[in-house]
Amino acid sequence: MMALFDQAGEWILVTALIGIAIFIGHKFHRRQQVLREHRMAKISTDELKDMMDGGQPVKIIDVRNLLSRETDPESIPGAIHLLFEEIDHRKDELPRDHEVILYCTCPNDISSARTALKLKQHGIQRVRPLEGGLDAWRERRYPTERIDLPRL
């Protein structure tokens, strides 16, 4: 009986490891797919700063989650906050006649790219992630403003 249990335990472990590897592979593939779709559609910090300084109409959106905003309460001046989960309800607040720039602080701007895809599905075509996000903006020493977070 113990030998049978030992054999079954090994198979369960192997099956679990294969399942985990497939899950990680799928997530990695999906992430690369999203990045590939938006590789050419990013805007640099210098381009955004020039647009802002030139008075061009641009809507800047902070797509960081609430925890990220709480631990790092700074934003690009004039940015509004929009969670991915809110897009379906708030898409009408976004302009369709000028640029919409998204930023986050995650590696490879994945949250911005994911949000841009969703906005494009809702017909907002002039949307681009900020290359390097808020971190790149600060590296250039461009101005930021402190976020007033709601108190719970």
Side-chain angles (χ1 to χ4, degrees):
M1 181 92 158
M2 289 299 275
L4 186 61
F5 184 72
D6 282 343
Q7 285 180 340
E10 288 176 15
W11 281 108
I12 291 171
L13 178 62
V14 168
T15 303
L17 290 175
I18 290 171
I20 291 170
I22 290 170
F23 176 77
I24 291 171
H26 171 72
K27 287 294 191 180
F28 179 78
H29 174 72
R30 179 66 185 131
R31 180 177 178 185
Q32 293 304 313
Q33 187 178 26
V34 169
L35 290 174
R36 219 178 0 260
E37 290 173 3
H38 284 283
R39 186 163 286 143
M40 299 309 238
K42 291 185 179 180
I43 185 171
S44 73
T45 54
D46 293 334
E47 287 177 279
L48 176 58
K49 183 74 164 89
D50 288 345
M51 288 174 73
M52 293 168 69
D53 290 347
Q56 294 179 21
V58 62
K59 186 68 138 188
I60 303 168
I61 302 175
D62 181 347
V63 297
R64 294 178 295 158
N65 64 38
L66 295 173
L67 181 60
S68 293
R69 287 172 47 93
E70 194 172 283
T71 57
D72 182 8
E74 286 188 342
S75 72
I76 295 174
I80 64 166
H81 184 237
L82 177 70
L83 293 172
F84 183 80
E85 298 80 24
E86 298 175 326
I87 292 172
D88 292 333
H89 299 98
R90 295 183 58 195
K91 65 183 179 289
D92 295 331
E93 295 176 30
L94 303 178
R96 294 173 190 272
D97 58 342
H98 58 268
E99 294 280 343
V100 176
I101 308 301
L102 310 170
Y103 73 87
C104 58
T105 53
C106 51
N108 298 316
D109 312 315
I110 195 71
S111 294
S112 296
R114 191 174 131 214
T115 304
L117 275 175
K118 179 105 174 177
L119 290 173
K120 284 186 177 210
Q121 290 170 354
H122 283 292
I124 301 169
Q125 297 302 314
R126 296 179 64 187
V127 57
R128 296 189 283 171
L130 178 63
E131 189 170 14
L134 183 59
D135 295 331
W137 183 263
R138 284 192 282 230
E139 283 175 17
R140 300 290 292 163
R141 300 196 190 287
Y142 290 146
T144 59
E145 60 187 19
R146 189 145 180 88
I147 301 169
D148 291 326
L149 297 170
R151 303 226 185 251
L152 299 177

